[in-house]
Amino acid sequence: MNLISGRIGPLLITLLAVSLSGCAGEIIEAGNKAKQRKENFENLKQLGRAYFAFHDRTSHGPKSWEDLQGVGLDPGLRDRLSADGYTVVLGVDIKDMTIGTSNFLLAYPQNAAQEGGQVCMADGSVFQLTAEEFKQRWTDQQAILTQAGAVIIEPEAPAGGSAGAGVISVPANSSSSGPPLPPKPPSP
């Protein structure tokens, strides 16, 4: 009897099976994350296209999901973005985005200030930002949000969570000592 078919063979097969099962779990997890990123990308692109379509039709930014649905946005998109933890900014006219539409955040994950994440810009582009890049862009648009009277739609809390979806209207043209800005993403 040789060593492979004797005592060492079953041991090697067992070690190989254990090793591969760990790799398979990692591969499945990576595949699921890639699928989620792709779904988020498609959802965010849909939001960006609808924002532009509404603005093209009315010459002002949409102030609600209903406005966006009026230009063909999938009614289920709000729930999908909320379930994935996305905050959405509405109610800002493109002409008021003085930092440029490619720098203006329309949608971002709740934890973007800590972890970065996939974002939708007002020009309809969707890409990954680091936490630092996100914080800089968010800071750059604070005055615009206040000036425009933006509507910030926060995601719903997961089942059993303590908070529901929040809609925060930022009073337009507030004085310099006036009401608070939209909630800043928490610092790490």
Side-chain angles (χ1 to χ4, degrees):
M1 168 164 43
N2 68 35
L3 287 176
I4 299 291
S5 63
R7 290 179 283 179
I8 296 179
L11 178 61
L12 286 175
I13 291 172
T14 302
L15 287 174
L16 184 60
V18 168
S19 175
L20 289 177
S21 68
C23 291
E26 291 173 14
I27 291 169
I28 290 169
E29 183 179 338
N32 288 339
K33 285 182 181 180
K35 180 182 176 195
Q36 185 63 50
R37 276 192 308 274
K38 184 177 186 323
E39 288 172 4
N40 286 344
F41 178 87
E42 294 302 327
N43 289 336
L44 293 169
K45 285 299 277 186
Q46 200 179 131
L47 174 66
R49 284 191 299 269
Y51 199 97
F52 256 95
F54 184 87
H55 198 283
D56 285 348
R57 185 179 289 175
T58 65
S59 298
H60 63 84
K63 296 192 183 309
S64 69
W65 285 104
E66 291 76 19
D67 286 349
L68 293 168
Q69 289 172 6
V71 293
L73 184 69
D74 173 5
L77 184 66
R78 178 183 187 167
D79 292 338
R80 290 193 304 273
L81 287 173
S82 182
D84 291 334
Y86 275 88
T87 297
V88 177
V89 177
L90 299 175
V92 181
D93 296 345
I94 290 175
K95 67 177 176 46
D96 295 330
M97 297 177 186
T98 55
I99 59 175
T101 57
S102 62
N103 293 311
F104 193 90
L105 294 156
L106 280 186
Y108 54 89
Q110 260 183 319
N111 60 355
Q114 295 82 28
E115 299 176 20
Q118 207 169 26
V119 300
C120 178
M121 308 308 286
D123 66 355
S125 62
V126 176
F127 52 87
Q128 189 78 18
L129 287 180
T130 66
E132 289 306 312
E133 291 168 331
F134 170 79
K135 286 188 267 188
Q136 182 60 56
R137 289 181 192 222
W138 182 254
T139 299
D140 292 347
Q141 76 186 53
Q142 290 295 300
I144 297 167
L145 295 173
T146 301
Q147 190 74 4
V151 177
I152 311 293
I153 302 174
E154 296 178 326
E156 293 183 21
S162 60
V167 176
I168 302 164
S169 293
V170 182
N173 301 318
S174 60
S175 66
S176 58
S177 62
L181 292 171
K184 288 187 178 183
S187 298

